[in-house]
Amino acid sequence: EVQLVESGGGLVQPGGSLRLSCAASGFTFSTYWIYWVRQTPGKGLVWVSRISGDGHNSDYADSVKGRFTISRDNAKNTVYLQMNSLRAEDTAVYYCGRDIVVVGGMDVWGQGTTVTVSS
Amino acid sequence: SYALTQPPSVSVSPRQTASLTCSGGNLGNKYVCWYQQKPGQSPVLIMYQDTKRPSGIPERFSGSKSGNTATLTISGTQVIDEADYYCQTWDSSTVIFGGGTKLTVL
């Protein structure tokens, strides 16, 4: 079965750090771009970051640039999102998704992991 | 910064046709995809590269684009289609979502 499973969310204080993981199975992981998207309850989808299949290219939303780092380990079929200097406005459900084709759209999504930044 | 505009809400009667729009500058030269999201669930890709339906998506969903507006059309709308719908595109190295449209079927 093709799937993505996020983990690593939790409660963290402002200024703290957290690392999210997105574990893939059921497909040739290294050939797909992987995205991170977040959503605050009752609000819309917001793109966070993406990384190419070989890990050589990555992009970030302005709101997280310089604070978040995306990476991948194709031997472990896992993408990571290292989140530093967390702010209250980073509180959200974080989803990872697989790009169906390059600039196609995310055809496989995880169930999401919740990040809460609060003191 | 680049933005996509969607109407906040659209209402349609069962078995009628729903048209959901998504507008943005120079959208005619960008690929657009559409997601459906139901409460408490992860989004589902229902259209990609403007007009392509992923495997498993019903034929009643179709996509089109004219000028700077992309349209998701649901023919013969069913009650199960009630959900939030988001369009998405790429601008340079940035990924942009529209604000979403809540489709009510009543």
Side-chain angles (χ1 to χ4, degrees):
Chain A
E1 180 189 5
V2 174
Q3 66 175 357
L4 297 171
V5 178
E6 303 97 335
S7 61
L11 174 64
V12 61
Q13 292 188 341
S17 298
L18 214 52
R19 189 177 81 157
L20 305 184
S21 298
C22 171
S25 59
F27 63 96
T28 307
F29 181 68
S30 62
T31 63
Y32 289 89
W33 282 75
I34 300 293
Y35 289 54
W36 285 99
V37 173
R38 66 187 182 186
Q39 185 174 37
T40 304
K43 301 294 187 181
L45 302 171
V46 177
W47 171 69
V48 174
S49 182
R50 65 174 180 166
I51 189 167
S52 61
D54 60 8
H56 292 164
N57 299 97
S58 58
D59 298 301
Y60 299 91
D62 286 344
S63 59
V64 306
K65 203 171 293 185
R67 300 188 299 124
F68 290 14
T69 302
I70 192 171
S71 63
R72 66 192 296 158
D73 184 340
N74 285 345
K76 295 183 177 180
N77 285 358
T78 302
V79 167
Y80 304 99
L81 186 68
Q82 178 66 44
M83 304 187 296
N84 299 331
S85 304
L86 282 161
R87 307 167 179 167
E89 53 265 36
D90 295 318
T91 295
V93 175
Y94 284 72
Y95 297 99
C96 61
R98 178 187 85 166
D99 206 356
I100 187 172
V101 293
V102 179
V103 295
M106 288 161 272
D107 68 326
V108 179
W109 292 67
Q111 83 289 352
T113 186
T114 300
V115 172
T116 304
V117 184
S118 175
S119 55
Chain B
S1 61
Y2 193 87
L4 291 174
T5 300
Q6 298 182 251
S9 63
V10 169
S11 295
V12 64
S13 299
R15 298 179 299 279
Q16 299 304 304
T17 297
S19 296
L20 283 64
T21 60
C22 172
S23 301
N26 199 33
L27 195 58
N29 291 318
K30 304 177 188 298
Y31 276 134
V32 175
C33 62
W34 292 87
Y35 302 94
Q36 176 194 71
Q37 187 180 33
K38 297 181 179 180
Q41 298 183 16
S42 301
V44 174
L45 181 70
I46 55 172
M47 201 67 55
Y48 70 101
Q49 291 184 342
D50 302 337
T51 61
K52 298 176 181 178
R53 267 181 295 107
S55 173
I57 301 302
E59 291 184 8
R60 64 179 181 274
F61 291 91
S62 63
S64 62
K65 200 165 60 177
S66 178
N68 290 334
T69 299
T71 302
L72 176 71
T73 301
I74 310 173
S75 304
T77 307
Q78 299 182 10
V79 173
I80 58 171
D81 299 329
E82 186 164 288
D84 293 326
Y85 290 83
Y86 297 91
C87 60
Q88 182 233 300
T89 192
W90 293 258
D91 180 58
S92 186
S93 299
T94 303
V95 178
I96 301 95
F97 285 94
T101 296
K102 181 176 180 59
L103 178 67
T104 301
V105 183
L106 45 70

